[in-house]
């Protein structure tokens, strides 16, 4: 087999892998979209292409009979708070590790790295007891605090690596002009770090929308449910056979994620590729 034939075989294999991957990714999504437009509530009577196209499930979600809007509002409150808070906390922590020299700096970075190796499941019982002790169990505030604290180690490593790529000469020039650390951080570091901060904001915005395990443990009141917990109970409890409405509710979760992604997309590629170059 000559080089030209080998190249054709390699290209064919690449396209085959892409096609198989696309089917695996898009087939469940297409089924969910099709199910949301089917009439009735049964999973087994639904079809990939609806015979009778209907918007009744989407209308029902926004009616007074459903708590979907409450769950949607709760999820957006948590996601926006976590995204905004993570950007602020992470950037401050990363700036300190990138630009300051202090005792225990290297050990603290190793601890951050070590904490990333343990799954969140290990801390569930401790988090539950802690939130119960401070009176924040079954509250959105408690859930936000857990998300914020849990993401600091990973995000700090990511942002610190990006901060390390920013020349220190810029800091020194600003300090010569009379700028302090806070001024350098706000006027120089943050504008130059927009790509990596956009990545942090997007990841931390998406996580509360899709996470089920942590909210299901912390939240017990239906008025405090996030979308993942609410939709699960939607089919698991009162509406155990209501899969078409569940599908419609799942599709609408993508709207805020797509909006944030389109808003931040110009920063994402450079942020994802530059965050781990140093550190």
């Amino acid at each position: 087999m000559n080089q030209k034939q080998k190249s054709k075989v390699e290209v064919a294999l690449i396209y085959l892998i892409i096609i198989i991957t696309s089917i695996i990714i898009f087939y469940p999504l297409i089924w969910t979209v099709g199910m949301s437009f089917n009439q009735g509530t049964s999973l087994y009577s639904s079809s990939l292409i609806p015979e009778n196209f209907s918007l009744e499930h989407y209308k029902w979600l926004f009616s007074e009979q459903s708590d979907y809007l409450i769950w949607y509002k709760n999820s957006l409150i948590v996601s926006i708070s976590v995204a905004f808070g993570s950007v602020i906390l992470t950037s401050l922590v990363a700036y300190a590790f990138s630009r300051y020299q202090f005792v225990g700096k290297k050990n603290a970075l190793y601890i951050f790295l070590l904490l990333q190796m343990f799954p969140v499941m290990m801390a569930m019982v401790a988090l539950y007891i802690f939130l119960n002790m401070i009176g924040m169990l079954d509250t959105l505030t408690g859930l936000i605090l857990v998300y914020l604290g849990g993401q600091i180690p990973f995000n700090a490593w990511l942002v610190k690596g990006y901060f390390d790529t920013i020349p220190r000469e810029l800091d020194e020039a600003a300090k010569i002009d009379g700028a302090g650390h806070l001024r350098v951080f706000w006027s120089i570091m943050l504008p130059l770090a927009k790509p990596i901060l956009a990545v942090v904001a997007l990841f931390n915005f998406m996580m509360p929308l899709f996470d089920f395990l942590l909210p299901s443990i912390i939240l017990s009141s239906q008025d405090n449910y996030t979308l993942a917990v609410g939709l699960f109970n939607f089919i698991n409890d009162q509406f155990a056979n209501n899969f078409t409405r569940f599908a419609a509710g799942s599709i609408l979760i993508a709207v805020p994620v797509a909006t944030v992604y389109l808003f931040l997309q110009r920063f994402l590629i450079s942020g994802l590729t530059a965050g781990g170059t140093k550190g």
Side-chain angles (χ1 to χ4, degrees):
M1 185 181 293
N2 56 38
Q3 188 65 33
K4 189 175 182 180
Q5 290 175 326
K6 287 182 179 179
S7 298
K8 289 182 178 179
V9 172
E10 290 176 357
V11 172
L13 288 174
I14 290 172
Y15 277 110
L16 179 62
I17 293 172
I18 292 174
I19 291 172
I20 293 174
T21 305
S22 300
I23 293 174
I24 294 173
I25 293 173
F26 288 107
Y27 182 73
L29 178 61
I30 294 172
W31 247 111
T32 305
V33 173
M35 190 187 306
S36 69
F37 292 115
N38 274 273
Q39 292 183 335
T41 60
S42 175
L43 172 66
Y44 300 104
S45 62
S46 300
S47 57
L48 184 63
I49 301 177
E51 297 179 1
N52 297 310
F53 187 87
S54 174
L55 292 173
E56 62 175 296
H57 306 309
Y58 291 95
K59 294 178 181 177
W60 185 88
L61 289 175
F62 294 95
S63 68
E64 295 181 357
Q65 303 174 17
S66 171
D67 292 325
Y68 185 77
L69 287 179
I70 298 175
W71 304 336
Y72 213 106
K73 180 193 70 174
N74 293 341
S75 293
L76 288 179
I77 290 173
V78 174
S79 293
I80 293 172
S81 301
V82 172
F84 186 73
S86 292
V87 168
I88 295 175
L89 290 176
T90 298
S91 57
L92 288 170
V93 172
Y95 178 74
F97 279 102
S98 177
R99 290 301 194 261
Y100 285 84
Q101 296 297 329
F102 52 89
V103 177
K105 174 182 175 180
K106 183 178 291 187
N107 292 332
L109 287 173
Y110 285 144
I111 290 173
F112 278 3
L113 185 62
L114 184 65
L115 289 173
Q116 298 177 48
M117 300 179 183
F118 297 98
V120 181
M121 287 271 299
M122 294 181 61
M124 288 299 177
V125 175
L127 289 173
Y128 184 91
I129 295 173
F130 175 72
L131 291 177
N132 188 42
M133 289 173 58
I134 63 176
M136 286 191 176
L137 195 63
D138 192 25
T139 63
L140 296 180
T141 303
L143 183 62
I144 292 170
L145 291 177
V146 171
Y147 278 131
L148 287 175
Q151 290 301 306
I152 286 178
F154 172 77
N155 292 334
W157 262 99
L158 194 66
V159 179
K160 178 193 175 297
Y162 195 95
F163 279 173
D164 287 344
T165 65
I166 300 175
R168 292 178 178 269
E169 288 78 6
L170 296 176
D171 304 21
E172 296 171 359
K175 290 176 182 178
I176 291 174
D177 292 336
H181 282 291
L182 186 60
R183 184 68 175 177
V184 171
F185 170 75
W186 183 261
S187 300
I188 296 177
M189 302 297 286
L190 287 187
L192 293 176
K194 283 181 180 178
I196 196 64
L197 295 180
V199 173
V200 171
L202 179 62
F203 286 174
N204 285 274
F205 181 82
M206 291 171 55
M207 182 179 56
L209 285 175
F210 302 139
D211 186 28
F212 167 76
L213 184 60
L214 186 59
S216 66
I217 294 174
I218 294 176
L219 305 176
S220 58
S221 301
Q222 189 164 337
D223 290 339
N224 291 330
Y225 282 168
T226 57
L227 278 172
V229 181
L231 288 175
F232 174 77
N233 286 277
F234 205 51
I235 59 172
N236 189 57
D237 187 17
Q238 187 177 359
F239 304 101
N241 195 35
N242 212 341
F243 287 95
T244 47
R245 288 173 179 170
F246 173 85
S250 302
I251 294 298
L252 293 178
I253 298 177
V255 174
V257 176
T259 303
V260 173
Y261 177 81
L262 291 174
F263 180 73
L264 298 176
Q265 63 175 338
R266 60 195 178 112
F267 302 115
L268 292 178
I269 295 177
S270 57
L272 286 169
T273 55
T277 55
K278 290 186 180 181

